[in-house]
């Protein structure tokens, strides 16, 4: 659904986004990760049609976004610091968006306002940061967008609210195949939410992963053999290997069943296959990209 | 109109009522404040000055004359404030991101904002006009002006407001900071006039003969709506002006739209959004402050080294200030390369003008190319608003004479630089091909006396400068001769024959007057008014050299009334200038001088009529000489103070003051 191809965006002399390609399918949740200044916000604003790309193309359902109201009508962007029209109340903002977004759902708005126990008649700029963010979610979801773009959305929400928001988002995706792009510094914050992960560093996309694949594809095995270790590792896809006494621990990629049946052939004394946390997968998988990955794992 | 066509385009670029609502919420107050301000300035003023007593003192013939200063302040501030507040959403990053993520085309956003802004400017003016219309009959405003004036007021006010507002809007599209938008708007509105002034001050330093004043004063106000508006209580804009403003309105609107469509939203909060405007701004400011610095030092101190110092100083300050604005910091990094290119261009410009590579100084048209020429001592004689048509010489000999004189001045350029004299020469050639060539020189008149003498003594020049030549002897009805001095007497001639004679004599006197006599610094004896053809009037002065005229008056026993004489004066006081305790250079009043002379022991009193008569004849009107004489006039109990030089002082005074 979303196709970003070879996009470049520079600010004066500096390239903020360089040669980035992303594809996001309808109904999936894409997590954009990266350290400060990596270019996440810039990429999201390009996608939201706020900035014009210098090179490459950005299209949703084959149509460009920039200056294309029909397309933008289906997109809702929540900024990293939610912003509302000056002096507006939530109710007034709702009226505003109702007039602007054709898919606005007033019933949904009332429902969400009730869920969040939102005071509709107070000026939004008087709310605390977290409540403002809740207001932004209420408004965004009521606009019934096909694509929801969230720039660091969990920032400032308490754990209870995070959970509530996440489950709302997941429901919405499941229910009507909404597509979500979400940026964050922190993998753990979004790992339970995202299907896909893209890691940006210095304006470039350095890694893109399907999280489900990643979890089912990577395994940690512990094996021990009587006597010398047979040459089994040559034909396995090993990401990492270490020896503790007679036990060999390695991280292997591949189908779990295939791996275990292959290893069993050599009659190991000990053979365990352990699940990996996403964090471990990233560390093993991308040891060389060091800093960038380290950062999102904190 | 506009909005209707937008409706057609597509469903999503309809006007959005909520956008209009948010505009009213955020800037509606500007319109309300403007309305209240105008209400205070006009209708309230009408109501408060409605009593018969007050009306007598009202001198009003159009609506601008009610609290014009207030109206002026509103008209230059409200539109700019409106443009700044209205387009806040382009100057605040998050606001901009919000507005530009909405499914609305930029074009549509611009139309909605810009047009609503215009409406917010129009509404208060229309409402005020309506109120005045309601007041018109009950307040008897027809005594002052017609109903049409109300329409005039609405039209002119809106014309200026909208031009200024749209300038603000267009500039706002270039800038990412509201403060810069505001300041730049005013700079733009004043720029043409400012540049004309700066150039007119600076070019004469290089181009010998460049008529700075001519360019500075002529049609000056037309180049800035802000300055033009200051005259709206006295004049209405011409059709051409109105057309220009209307064209400006349309072009500024579409210019703003085009800039907005091309604007990159990431540049919000940059002083200037478009990179190419940055060097233009930077060096534009540098250039202007450079001219300002050079002009200031050049006028105050004179001399090339001062001018150059002024340029360097002005340029550095301007450059630093521009960089500070662009980099938004006090500590700026200087880009040497740009500065060097700029310096090189300025040096080239300097050489271009200094060595007159454009041949500006030497270009003097050929006599046969010239249709006519204006020759006078000052631009003000050319641009005199009281005379419809300035003096022109058309005869070939005179044109050639002016030309040769001009050549001589140009040849002597270097000498002029050292002793820029007391006199000046202003020349306007009107060529046969319709072009104009204007020059202004400051010269030492004494050096060029032969030329000046020939020009001033020429018949054509005399005919053009003396009204007496227009008087037909037969149709003269009355001549009055009013002596210069504090007396009420005057001579009046009404006899047909006498009138004829006087006109003849006066014409001859002017005919034969020499350059020296015409240029003489002697005060005229009297002012002569010649009435002819029922209502026409010619004016001239009685120059002391017109002795035949004096004799004629004596013959007709009119002399006593035509000229101040000893009979008007009861006594005179004389003293050496140095003995009177007054600093003449610092300014003085006649009363003061007279008092000091009365008190002074070293002054003498003259009562002898003959001595007074001879003192009158020899003294000079300016208090510049070595001896000061004060005449006391009985009739009005006032004095007149004159002076003698060492040469003109009568013997008896000199002796008594020894
Ligand atoms: N409007 C702008 N003008 C100039 N440079 C910008 C602008 N916005 C971002 N940048 C620069 O572009 C780079 C990428 O910025 P961006 O905001 O996209 O990073 P980010 O990944 O969102 O960072 P963060 O995690 O801190 O939000 C940064 O180096 C930043 O300085
Ligand atoms: Mg960011």
């Amino acid at each position: 659904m979303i196709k970003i191809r070879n996009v470049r965006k520079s600010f004066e002399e500096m390239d903020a986004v360089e040669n980035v390609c992303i594809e996001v399918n309808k109904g999936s949740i894409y997590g954009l990760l990266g350290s400060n200044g990596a270019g996440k916000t810039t990429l999201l604003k390009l996608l939201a049609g706020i900035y014009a790309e210098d090179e490459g193309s950005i299209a949703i359902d084959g149509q460009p976004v920039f200056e294309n109201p029909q397309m933008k009508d289906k997109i809702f962007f929540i900024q990293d610091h939610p912003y509302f029209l000056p002096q507006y109340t939530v109710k007034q903002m709702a009226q505003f968006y109702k007039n602007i977004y054709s898919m606005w759902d007033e019933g949904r708005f009332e429902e969400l306002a009730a869920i969040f126990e939102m005071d509709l008649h107070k000026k939004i700029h008087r709310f605390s940061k977290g409540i403002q963010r809740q207001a932004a979610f209420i408004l965004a979801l009521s606009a019934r967008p096909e694509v929801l773009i969230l720039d660091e959305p969990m920032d400032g929400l308490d754990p209870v609210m995070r959970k509530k928001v996440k489950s709302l988002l997941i429901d919405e995706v499941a229910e009507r195949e909404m597509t979500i792009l979400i940026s964050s510094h922190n993998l753990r914050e979004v790992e339970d939410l995202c299907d896909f992960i893209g890691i940006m560093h210095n304006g470039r996309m350095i890694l893109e992963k399907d999280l489900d694949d990643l979890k089912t594809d990577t395994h940690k095995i512990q094996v021990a053999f009587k006597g010398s270790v047979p040459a089994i590792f040559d034909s396995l896809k090993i990401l990492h290997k270490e020896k503790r006494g007679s036990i060999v621990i390695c991280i292997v990629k591949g189908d779990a069943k295939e791996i275990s049946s292959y290893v069993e052939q050599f009659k190991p004394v000990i053979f365990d296959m352990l699940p990996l946390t996403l964090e471990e997968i990233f560390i093993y998988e991308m040891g060389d990209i060091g800093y960038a990955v380290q950062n999102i794992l904190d | 109109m506009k909005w209707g066509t937008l409706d057609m385009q597509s469903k999503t670029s309809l006007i959005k009522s909520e956008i209009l609502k948010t505009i009213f919420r955020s800037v509606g107050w500007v319109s309300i404040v403007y309305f209240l301000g105008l209400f205070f300035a006009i209708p309230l003023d009408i109501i408060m000055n409605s009593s018969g007593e007050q009306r007598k003192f009202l001198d009003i013939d159009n609506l601008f004359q009610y609290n014009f200063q207030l109206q002026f302040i509103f008209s230059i501030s409200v539109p700019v404030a409106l443009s700044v507040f209205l387009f806040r959403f382009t100057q605040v990053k998050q606001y901009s991101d919000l507005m530009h993520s909405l499914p609305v085309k930029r074009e549509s956003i611009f139309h909605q904002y810009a047009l609503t802004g215009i409406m917010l400017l129009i509404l208060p003016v229309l409402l005020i006009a309506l109120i005045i219309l309601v007041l018109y009959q009950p307040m008897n405003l027809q005594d002052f002006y017609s109903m049409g004036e109300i329409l005039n007021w609405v039209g002119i006010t809106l014309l200026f407001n909208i031009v200024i507002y749209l300038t603000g809007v267009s500039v706002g599209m270039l800038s990412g900071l509201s403060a810069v938008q505001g300041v730049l708007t005013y700079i733009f509105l004043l720029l043409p006039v400012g540049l004309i002034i700066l150039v007119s001050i600076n070019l004469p330093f290089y181009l010998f003969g460049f008529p700075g004043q001519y360019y500075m004063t002529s049609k000056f106000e037309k180049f800035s709506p802000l300055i033009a508006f200051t005259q709206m209580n006295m004049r209405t804009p011409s059709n051409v002006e109105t057309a220009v403003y209307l064209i400006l309105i349309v072009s500024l609107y579409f210019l703003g739209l085009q800039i907005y469509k091309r604007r990159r939203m990431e540049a919000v909060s940059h002083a200037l959004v478009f990179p190419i405007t940055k060097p233009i701004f930077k060096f534009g400011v540098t250039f202007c402050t450079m001219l300002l610095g050079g002009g200031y030092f050049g006028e105050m101190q004179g001399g090339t080294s001062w001018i150059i110092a002024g340029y360097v100083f002005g340029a550095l300050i301007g450059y630093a200030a521009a960089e500070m604005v662009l980099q938004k910091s006090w500590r700026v990094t200087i880009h040497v390369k740009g500065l060097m290119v700029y310096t090189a261009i300025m040096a080239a410009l300097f050489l271009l003008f200094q060595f007159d590579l454009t041949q500006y100084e030497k270009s003097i048209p050929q006599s046969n190319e010239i249709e006519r020429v204006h020759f006078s001592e000052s631009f003000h004689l050319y641009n005199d608003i009281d005379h419809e048509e300035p003096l022109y010489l058309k005869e070939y000999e005179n044109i050639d004479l002016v030309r040769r004189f001009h050549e001589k001045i140009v040849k002597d350029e270097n000498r002029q630089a050292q002793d820029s004299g007391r006199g000046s020469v202003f020349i306007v050639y009107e060529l046969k091909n319709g072009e104009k060539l204007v020059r202004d020189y400051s010269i030492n008149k004494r050096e060029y006396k032969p030329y000046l003498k020939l020009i001033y003594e020429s018949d054509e020049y005399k005919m053009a400068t003396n009204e007496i030549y227009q008087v037909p002897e037969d149709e003269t009805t009355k001549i009055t001769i009013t002596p210069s001095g504090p007396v009420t007497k005057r001579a009046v001639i009404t006899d047909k024959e006498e009138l004829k004679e006087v006109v003849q004599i006066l014409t001859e006197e002017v005919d034969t007057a020499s350059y020296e006599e015409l240029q003489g610094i002697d005060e005229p004896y009297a002012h002569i008014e010649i009435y002819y053809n029922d209502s026409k009037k010619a004016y001239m002065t009685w120059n002391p050299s017109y002795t035949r005229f004096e004799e004629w008056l004596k013959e007709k026993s009119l002399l006593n009334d035509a000229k101040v004489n000893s009979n008007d004066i009861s006594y005179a006081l004389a003293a050496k200038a140095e003995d009177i305790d007054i600093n003449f250079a610092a300014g003085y009043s006649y009363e003061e001088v007279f008092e000091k002379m009365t008190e002074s022991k070293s002054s003498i009193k003259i009562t002898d009529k003959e001595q007074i008569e001879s003192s009158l004849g020899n003294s000079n009107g300016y208090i510049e000489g070595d001896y000061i004489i004060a005449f006391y006039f009985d009739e009005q109990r006032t004095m007149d103070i004159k002076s003698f030089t060492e040469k003109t002082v009568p013997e008896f005074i000199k002796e008594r003051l020894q």
Side-chain angles (χ1 to χ4, degrees), chain A residues 11 14 16 35-42 51 152 185, chain B residues 93 266:
Chain A
F11 297 127
M14 179 220 138
S35 46
N36 289 128
K40 306 180 295 292
T41 301
T42 308
Y51 295 167
E152 287 171 36
H185 306 112
Chain B
K93 194 175 184 122
E266 61 266 27

Side-chain angles (χ1 to χ4, degrees), chain B residues 436-462:
Chain B
K436 249 193 214 180
L437 196 122
V438 188
R439 293 292 184 271
D440 192 359
Y441 298 99
S442 122
I443 55 157
N444 188 339
K445 268 163 77 178
R446 218 172 295 149
E447 264 187 69
Y448 296 96
K449 192 171 145 191
Y451 288 99
L452 289 166
K453 188 170 164 68
L454 282 173
I455 295 171
Y456 284 170
E457 287 181 2
S458 74
D459 289 345
E460 193 187 14
Y461 187 88
K462 278 189 180 167

Side-chain angles (χ1 to χ4, degrees), chain A residues 108-121:
Chain A
R108 180 71 176 150
F109 171 69
E110 274 156 24
E111 199 178 298
L112 287 168
I115 294 176
F116 283 92
E117 293 166 23
M118 183 61 56
D119 179 354
L120 295 183
H121 300 286

Side-chain angles (χ1 to χ4, degrees), chain B residues 98 137 145 165 188 297 339 359 375 493 619 657:
Chain B
L98 169 67
Q137 286 291 344
Y145 42 81
Y165 160 76
F188 266 100
F297 282 115
L339 208 54
Q359 291 291 305
F375 179 90
I493 305 165
S619 60
L657 281 174

Side-chain angles (χ1 to χ4, degrees), chain B residues 163 166-167 225 242-254:
Chain B
V163 167
L166 286 176
T167 308
T242 310
V244 168
Y245 283 134
L246 287 175
I247 293 169
L248 258 182
I249 285 176
V250 176
S251 358
L252 280 172
Y253 186 89
F254 286 99

